[in-house]
Amino acid sequence: MLFLTINLLLLSNAVTYRRDKSILYSRISILGLFYSSLLLYFNMDLTFIQKSISLFGGLLYCKSYTLFFTLFIFFLSSIILSLTSFYPRKIWIKDSSSLYNIFKRTTTEIYYYNIKIINKMGEQFRIIEYSLILLFIITGAVFLLSSCDLISIFLSIELQSYGLYLLSAIYRNSELSTNAGLTYFLLGGLSSCIILLGQSLLYINSGNTSLDVIYIINSIFINDIYEIYGNDASINLTNVPGIYQYYIQLSLVILSTGFLFKVSSAPFHFWSPDVYDAIPTIVTTFVAIIAKISIFIFFLELVYYASITSLNFSWKNNLLISSLLSLIIGSVLGLTQFRIKRLYAYSTISHIGFILLALSINSIESIQAFFFYILQYSISNLNAFIILITIGYSFIYLYKDTHAGFLALKEKNKDNITIYEQTLAHSQSNNENLKDTNLSPIQLISQLKGYFKINPLLAISLAITLYSFIGVPPLIGFFAKQMILTAALDNGYVFMSLVAIITSVIGGAYYLNLVKQIFFYKSDYEDHGTRDNIVIQGYVLYNNIFKSDSSPMHFTTKFMKINSALSNIISIITLLLLLFIFMPEEWFNIISILTLSELKS
């Protein structure tokens, strides 16, 4: 179904001349993902957790946990696509909102160009390739989840990565987006070379590309060691002859380094804050979430294959060191940030440290914590980005002029009444330094000052999400961190547990600073009480055409609200984060089944 949707979009993209079909394309993509999810759901049986199916000669393996995370990726991608499937604002007009008019005409839209509204004609509604590239990335991510061969692994990660490069630079009129896409492409190409080098060394020393065969070779090698040294002997790899001592471990270190580069884990994180900040916020939402889920699930498979025996190979220390650096760098460097998406980037790096810590432990408890942390992190991060986008849409109600200047401009333009664009910084000079305001209306933390007085519900939703990032009980983020720290202490990782606790406290400082800006600071904007007196002139379009007898209608800003699609998504996710303590059984049952699937498949 996914491939069928891609082919249909490719065909329609080749024959169409209109650039305003992106909304329709995004809706078609959501339907394709929904249909794929139905097919997957009705063919997924979590009761037979010991079963796994090999496809295409061992290139892919279908297991219960890979199918579940495929469904999870479809779900998250559908929510992200909804950001470009519906206009962000809705206008309620009595004459055109009656039940009779809804059934009489199939399509009704408001047409208003002659005003200045932030992101009024957003670029995300003009690029028809957006949803098509997303489907290619999702396809690569789904293949990577189930890859069990070095060839399918490399092809999957490249299919996903090339789509991300194109997606980052898809807004060609944006200089920042183009630079970020080029940076992402060059550094991503370097990480792909590192991955290819590690895979080449594995192939040279094992003679096969299948992870199953490499696992069998490991088992035979270890049995030979036991025959030589005995079961009770202290096995020291430095005394073991052969090339396995050096090259297999070196190959795994190089391979894992390339994937750590892809997920922006420290010390390979330096590209992510710049890329996250420069590309449009809608694109950042996808890059920051979907691209990491598939790689981490593959990492779990790799750690399981390389650590299934009683020998503790030192290549896993690579993950442990990266976890330590990610926790420290993500927490400390986030304190100095004043741009909101760079702050989100360092927050992501800190969360990656917790995920890598669970991977390094590789016990039953840590695998459960790993699955649970990925689920809650993805949902919380998605909510944080959607709220950031929605706040940018809600700033229609603010103006950039002083009261006297505003009245003077209104008098000057009384024949063409206009809504004036809001200030994006403390002063006009700072405002001019902010580029791509239409693509990313919210860029600075200072723009959120006093936002609680503008939209209390949206501000409270963002605060709940930030508290979940910190790990404040009884929010879902607290239980995720508690599970990882418990698994670390049970397995003797006392130092890493102390570092994780200290860095969580340090990281909580910049989250709380953001909350303080929203709730306790006075806003830099002034509401002069004149917004309800400003009248917007527009036309109603039926089926994308004007009626011959259509006359302009007039409405004020109080009729312009955030779309139900955005408000419903934010409400549901926020309640999910807040009310987790009342429904934990379903979550824990799912992660227990996924863990058993990983151990027995």
Side-chain angles (χ1 to χ4, degrees), residues 110 156 213 242 351 371 420 444 533 546 567:
I110 297 293
S156 301
V213 176
H351 289 294
F371 283 135
Y420 291 97
L444 304 176
N533 298 323
F546 286 106
S567 57

Side-chain angles (χ1 to χ4, degrees), residues 98-346:
S98 64
L99 188 63
Y100 170 75
N101 285 327
I102 291 177
F103 284 102
K104 182 179 179 182
R105 303 176 179 90
T106 57
T107 305
T108 303
E109 295 183 27
I110 297 293
Y111 181 88
Y112 55 100
Y113 275 109
N114 208 13
I115 56 176
K116 294 180 181 178
I117 300 178
I118 295 266
N119 214 315
K120 173 174 61 68
M121 296 300 295
E123 288 294 323
Q124 69 269 24
F125 301 120
R126 296 182 177 180
I127 301 178
I128 58 177
E129 296 88 359
Y130 174 79
S131 56
L132 182 61
I133 294 175
L134 254 63
L135 290 180
F136 274 108
I137 300 173
I138 295 168
T139 305
V142 168
F143 283 158
L144 184 60
L145 288 174
S146 305
S147 293
C148 196
D149 192 278
L150 297 180
I151 295 176
S152 60
I153 290 169
F154 186 75
L155 292 178
S156 301
I157 191 63
E158 287 306 292
L159 178 59
Q160 173 180 293
S161 298
Y162 277 119
L164 293 172
Y165 306 150
L166 293 174
L167 191 66
S168 298
I170 195 172
Y171 292 87
R172 291 168 292 183
N173 296 329
S174 170
E175 179 183 353
L176 294 177
S177 178
T178 305
N179 291 338
L182 183 59
T183 302
Y184 194 11
F185 169 70
L186 293 176
L187 297 179
L190 175 62
S191 63
S192 298
C193 293
I194 297 174
I195 292 173
L196 191 58
L197 175 60
Q199 291 182 337
S200 301
L201 292 176
L202 278 177
Y203 173 70
I204 290 172
N205 292 282
S206 63
N208 202 288
T209 59
S210 174
L211 293 182
D212 279 336
V213 176
I214 296 175
Y215 163 70
I216 294 173
I217 293 175
N218 292 346
S219 301
I220 294 174
F221 178 79
I222 292 163
N223 290 333
D224 292 339
I225 294 176
Y226 282 128
E227 291 179 3
I228 296 173
Y229 293 93
N231 292 333
D232 298 330
S234 178
I235 299 175
N236 186 2
L237 287 179
T238 58
N239 299 324
V240 177
I243 59 174
Y244 186 90
Q245 171 188 353
Y246 303 105
Y247 293 122
I248 294 296
Q249 292 191 52
L250 178 62
S251 303
L252 292 172
V253 167
I254 295 174
L255 183 64
S256 61
T257 300
F259 280 102
L260 290 175
F261 210 111
K262 294 285 187 184
V263 297
S264 68
S265 174
F268 315 106
H269 67 285
F270 48 85
W271 61 270
S272 62
D274 296 330
V275 172
Y276 281 23
D277 188 44
I279 60 180
T281 307
I282 289 181
V283 177
T284 312
T285 306
F286 192 85
V287 173
I289 301 173
I290 304 299
K292 293 179 173 54
I293 297 176
S294 58
I295 295 178
F296 279 129
I297 298 302
F298 164 74
F299 248 143
L300 178 64
E301 187 79 6
L302 185 65
V303 170
Y304 180 73
Y305 267 96
S307 306
I308 191 66
T309 62
S310 59
L311 288 179
N312 186 17
F313 297 114
S314 60
W315 78 272
K316 285 200 308 178
N317 293 333
N318 192 30
L319 302 181
L320 202 59
I321 294 172
S322 180
S323 172
L324 176 63
L325 294 176
S326 298
L327 288 170
I328 296 174
I329 292 175
S331 300
V332 175
L333 294 186
L335 296 173
T336 62
Q337 303 304 315
F338 62 92
R339 299 183 67 87
I340 182 67
K341 285 195 292 182
R342 292 182 69 90
L343 181 66
Y344 278 3
Y346 283 107

Side-chain angles (χ1 to χ4, degrees), residues 5-15 25 132 136:
T5 306
I6 290 176
N7 290 327
L8 290 176
L9 289 182
L10 274 173
L11 179 62
S12 58
N13 190 13
V15 299
Y25 279 32
L132 182 61
F136 274 108

Side-chain angles (χ1 to χ4, degrees), residues 47-67:
T47 58
F48 296 97
I49 57 177
Q50 73 276 10
K51 295 177 63 176
S52 61
I53 303 174
S54 175
L55 301 175
F56 306 113
L59 289 178
L60 301 175
Y61 267 101
C62 287
K63 304 177 183 179
S64 296
Y65 72 94
T66 60
L67 296 179

Side-chain angles (χ1 to χ4, degrees), residues 493-542:
Y493 291 82
V494 179
F495 174 74
M496 287 298 301
S497 300
L498 291 176
V499 172
I501 294 172
I502 294 173
T503 53
S504 294
V505 175
I506 296 174
Y510 56 74
Y511 292 125
L512 292 177
N513 177 55
L514 196 56
V515 173
K516 182 176 69 173
Q517 297 268 357
I518 296 173
F519 288 89
F520 301 106
Y521 277 18
K522 183 180 179 181
S523 177
D524 290 336
Y525 314 109
E526 295 183 7
D527 186 359
H528 307 295
T530 55
R531 64 186 182 193
D532 290 337
N533 298 323
I534 298 179
V535 179
I536 303 173
Q537 177 177 305
Y539 292 85
V540 177
L541 280 72
Y542 303 108

